[in-house]
Amino acid sequence: MSIQEIEEFFNSHTIPSNTKLYSGNTISNPSLFLSVSIEIIKSRTSDLNKRPSYLRMCDLINIISDQRKA
């Protein structure tokens, strides 16, 4: 997934407050989380599949997509 695809996804999908990303990791301020995470990804574009910020964003997309299916 490209950075542009990630941005497009979050432009059309909202993250509910208190979304649980991982066990013990809850997103209490979704807009801040998104802005910081996307900036980090944009600043470090080499080997995205090895970047924790990128992987977290991909996991979050999966979580939100799964919630919409339920």
Side-chain angles (χ1 to χ4, degrees), residues 23 27 43-44 55:
S23 178
I27 300 170
S43 70
R44 300 178 183 134
L55 298 173

Side-chain angles (χ1 to χ4, degrees), residues 2-47:
S2 71
I3 296 170
Q4 182 179 356
E5 290 172 319
I6 290 172
E7 288 181 303
E8 288 172 3
F9 179 87
F10 288 111
N11 284 333
S12 61
H13 295 81
T14 57
I15 302 171
S17 267
N18 298 317
T19 296
K20 188 170 275 222
L21 182 55
Y22 303 119
S23 178
N25 189 336
T26 302
I27 300 170
S28 59
N29 188 334
S31 61
L32 179 61
F33 176 83
L34 280 177
S35 65
V36 170
S37 296
I38 288 174
E39 285 304 312
I40 290 171
I41 291 169
K42 285 181 174 180
S43 70
R44 300 178 183 134
T45 57
S46 65
D47 262 345

